[in-house]
């Protein structure tokens, strides 16, 4: 039988090579991030795991899926199923279907036998020479996006390869230093090699020398988007907590638009640099779609992320200044994303009108929002306070630094039951929960969940929280008065106020709350 291949939440049908393939989907993929086109027959642009959940083959707990490649078709329909809204696509060149796979027992048996096969000899492996470790002061995972279009031509393509090779060597590639990969942009992007393929400069240099020129239009936008989405996965060798960088080499100008690709890269936490060579002359500018293409694509248009070379000849003197930029860890402003740089405090109404079973639905909502974020000691943090007339800190931002621990702490919250003093609770949370982190690097968010009228004033405490730099979202259920909810919410109030009649309606709000946090985060960085 076929061995199953483990894939990621974002692996698409077109990323598979075989006609029929058994794959294993991971657990807890973020549902609202899935791109799925069609129903039953899915365009190969779709996420495989997203399609499998949409089809009901697996749940969000993941599992084995058999993927069958099918011919392309027209008019893939949009259907909402199992929490995923698929999208319309008018035409695509290939499709796939998904059925339940068989979890391969041979695969698991192999996994076990390997670990028992090699008894430990008790000998420590010899310490390897430090050349292997590389330049430890340069922490970066870098994709060189090279120009393989007709614009550059074969001869300059070779000069470009030489330059990239020199940059790679000077970076000090090694197991603990920078890791690099290469993507070639032409008509269609091609990932030539990934971060995990080589950890020695010699191997990288050889791989760069071997690259063949592809030719075609310079669809740099398409290549940049593809690289931002696909290149930096953990299976492809990206490392946690290390800045992700794409260095785009552009001879002349792109044939397509870079703006959307720049937005996607920033959303994925990728720092984009553009090295432009032979900038368009005044006569040529008329042929350029968007004269401001560099500023639209780079991480920030502050000058740091753009780099110019007049020609591909005599470029040696440009190597070192570029390497210095790529190694300046603290300048990588785009590494921080809404997923890894926020503190989210939940203020949970424990009053007697909620009731035990609805309280569980509230906790489920809290878990589903928390689950979307990258919680760690260097990432996002979550805290929870329950209130009636009194307040109880269930856990603070520093109590749990892994997602598993946070989710288990949320599950273990016990329902208090009592009155409703929301204003007091907001003041308590601002002081005791956000106070200790107010000078930290993360952006602060408070989500207030309540099902009724507060006995005290909410407007003053909410204004004080906002003044302390906390963005407030109010989520009301059942009898919560809209005026109170709006009074608590940050500006613009409409997009920070949520309401549902029934507690079961909380689940539908999860993606909107997450998007709201991300939008506020991005707006604050502009």
């Amino acid at each position: 039988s076929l061995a199953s291949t483990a894939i990621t939440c974002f692996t698409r049908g077109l990323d598979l090579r075989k006609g029929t393939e058994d794959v294993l989907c991971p657990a807890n993929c973020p549902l609202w991030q899935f791109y799925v086109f069609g129903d039953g027959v899915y365009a190969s642009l779709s996420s495989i795991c997203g399609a499998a959940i949409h089809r009901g083959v697996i749940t969000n707990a993941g599992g084995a899926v058999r993927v069958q490649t099918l011919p392309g078709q027209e008019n893939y329909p949009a259907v909402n199923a199992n929490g995923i809204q698929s999208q319309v696509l008018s035409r695509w060149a290939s499709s796939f279907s998904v059925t339940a796979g068989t979890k391969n027992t041979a695969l698991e048996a192999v996994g076990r036998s390997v670990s028992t096969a090699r008894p430990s000899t008790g000998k420590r492996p010899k310490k390897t020479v430090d050349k292997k470790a590389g330049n430890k002061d340069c922490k970066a995972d870098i994709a060189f996006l090279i120009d393989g279009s007709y614009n550059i031509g074969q001869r300059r393509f070779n000069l470009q390869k030489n330059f990239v090779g020199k940059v790679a060597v000077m970076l000090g590639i090694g197991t603990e230093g920078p890791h690099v990969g290469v993507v070639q942009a032409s008509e269609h992007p091609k990932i030539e090699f990934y971060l995990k393929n080589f950890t020695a400069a010699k191997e990288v240099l050889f791989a760069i020398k071997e690259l063949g020129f592809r030719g075609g239009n310079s669809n740099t936008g398409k290549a940049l988007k593809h690289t931002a989405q696909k290149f930096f996965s953990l299976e492809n060798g990206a490392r946690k907590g290390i800045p992700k960088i794409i260095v785009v080499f552009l001879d002349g100008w792109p044939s397509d638009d870079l703006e959307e690709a720049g937005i996607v890269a920033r959303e994925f936490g990728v720092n984009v640099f553009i090295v432009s060579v032979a900038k368009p002359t005044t006569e040529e500018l008329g042929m350029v779609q968007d004269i401001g293409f560099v500023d639209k694509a780079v991480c920030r248009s502050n000058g740091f992320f753009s780099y110019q070379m007049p020609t591909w000849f005599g470029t040696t003197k440009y190597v070192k200044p570029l390497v210095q930029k790529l190694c300046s860890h603290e300048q990588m402003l785009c590494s921080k994303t809404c997923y890894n740089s926020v503190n989210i405090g939940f203020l949970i109404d424990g009053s007697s009108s909620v009731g035990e079973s609805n309280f569980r639905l509230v906790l489920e909502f809290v878990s589903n929002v928390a689950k979307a974020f990258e919680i760690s000691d260097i990432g996002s943090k979550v805290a929870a306070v329950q209130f009636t007339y009194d307040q109880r800190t269930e856990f603070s931002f520093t109590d749990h630094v892994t997602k598993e621990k946070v989710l288990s702490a949320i599950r273990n919250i016990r329902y208090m039951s009592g009155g409703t003093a929301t204003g007091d609770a907001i003041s308590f949370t601002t002081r005791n929960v956000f106070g200790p982190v107010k000078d930290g690097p993360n952006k602060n968010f408070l989500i207030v969940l309540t099902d009724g009228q507060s006995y005290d004033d909410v407007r003053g405490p909410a204004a004080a929280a906002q003044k302390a730099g906390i963005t407030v979202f109010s989520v009301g259920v059942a009898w919560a008065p809209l005026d109170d909810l709006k009074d608590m919410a940050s500006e613009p109030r409409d997009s920070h106020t949520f309401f549902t009649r029934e507690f079961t309606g909380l689940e539908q709000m999860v993606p909107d709350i997450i998007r709201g946090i991300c939008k506020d985060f991005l707006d604050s960085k502009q």
Side-chain angles (χ1 to χ4, degrees), residues 214-349:
R214 292 171 68 83
N217 278 323
S218 57
N219 288 330
T220 312
K222 186 177 177 181
L224 176 55
K225 187 173 171 184
H226 181 76
T227 309
Q229 289 172 319
K230 297 280 169 272
F231 182 86
F232 295 100
S233 65
L234 294 172
E235 325 55 72
N236 289 333
R239 296 168 290 175
K240 280 202 167 119
I242 301 272
K244 306 177 181 63
I245 299 173
I246 299 176
V247 184
V248 180
F249 289 94
L250 242 178
D251 186 293
W253 62 89
S255 321
D256 61 353
D257 183 47
L258 293 189
E259 184 163 17
E260 191 204 347
I263 293 169
V264 168
R266 289 188 285 274
E267 223 166 65
F268 275 78
V270 176
N271 299 277
V272 176
F273 284 79
I274 289 200
V275 176
S276 41
V277 183
K279 279 203 336 199
T281 62
T282 331
E283 299 84 71
E284 292 169 332
L285 276 176
M287 296 151 79
V288 182
Q289 263 197 33
D290 180 355
I291 298 174
F293 66 82
V294 171
D295 281 352
K296 300 261 171 68
V298 287
C299 162
R300 294 275 188 284
S301 52
N302 57 5
F304 181 76
F305 293 92
S306 45
Y307 196 67
Q308 273 138 20
M309 302 196 298
T311 71
W312 287 109
F313 297 97
T315 54
T316 311
K317 62 172 177 296
Y318 292 100
V319 173
K320 196 174 177 185
L322 180 60
V323 167
Q324 282 167 338
K325 278 179 186 261
L326 300 180
C327 291
S328 38
H329 196 105
E330 63 297 333
Q331 300 274 358
M332 300 301 160
L333 302 173
C334 287
S335 295
K336 292 199 173 303
T337 68
C338 66
Y339 298 110
N340 66 22
S341 302
V342 295
N343 296 324
I344 305 173
F346 292 93
L347 184 51
I348 304 164
D349 187 339

Side-chain angles (χ1 to χ4, degrees), residues 285-488:
L285 276 176
M287 296 151 79
V288 182
Q289 263 197 33
D290 180 355
I291 298 174
F293 66 82
V294 171
D295 281 352
K296 300 261 171 68
V298 287
C299 162
R300 294 275 188 284
S301 52
N302 57 5
F304 181 76
F305 293 92
S306 45
Y307 196 67
Q308 273 138 20
M309 302 196 298
T311 71
W312 287 109
F313 297 97
T315 54
T316 311
K317 62 172 177 296
Y318 292 100
V319 173
K320 196 174 177 185
L322 180 60
V323 167
Q324 282 167 338
K325 278 179 186 261
L326 300 180
C327 291
S328 38
H329 196 105
E330 63 297 333
Q331 300 274 358
M332 300 301 160
L333 302 173
C334 287
S335 295
K336 292 199 173 303
T337 68
C338 66
Y339 298 110
N340 66 22
S341 302
V342 295
N343 296 324
I344 305 173
F346 292 93
L347 184 51
I348 304 164
D349 187 339
S351 62
S352 40
S353 51
V354 175
E356 186 74 56
S357 65
N358 284 335
F359 189 73
R360 292 287 126 209
L361 291 173
V362 171
L363 294 184
E364 209 162 289
F365 166 82
V366 171
S367 287
N368 286 335
V369 173
K371 210 180 268 176
F373 294 87
E374 294 164 32
I375 300 165
S376 74
D377 53 344
I378 56 168
S380 291
K381 315 253 192 303
V382 172
V385 173
Q386 186 179 173
F387 71 98
T388 54
Y389 278 141
D390 283 325
Q391 304 85 29
R392 179 169 81 201
T393 302
E394 302 290 354
F395 55 92
S396 77
F397 287 124
T398 48
D399 286 345
H400 304 298
V401 291
T402 68
K403 191 177 294 193
E404 290 63 44
K405 291 209 167 108
V406 164
L407 295 177
S408 116
I410 294 169
R411 276 196 300 275
N412 292 327
I413 292 175
R414 297 283 156 260
Y415 173 49
M416 282 163 78
S417 185
T420 314
T422 316
D424 264 358
I426 294 173
S427 301
F428 171 88
T429 309
T430 303
R431 189 172 59 247
N432 297 331
V433 176
F434 286 97
V437 296
K438 75 168 185 299
D439 299 323
N442 288 3
K443 185 162 169 53
N444 293 314
F445 291 89
L446 173 63
I447 298 175
V448 183
L449 288 131
T450 178
D451 82 325
Q453 176 93 49
S454 175
Y455 297 128
D456 59 2
D457 166 57
V458 294
R459 189 177 293 180
Q466 291 169 31
K467 207 169 168 190
I470 302 164
T471 302
V472 182
F473 284 88
S474 59
V475 177
V477 191
W479 305 106
L482 203 56
D483 290 349
D484 273 14
L485 297 174
K486 287 224 158 109
D487 281 345
M488 292 189 282

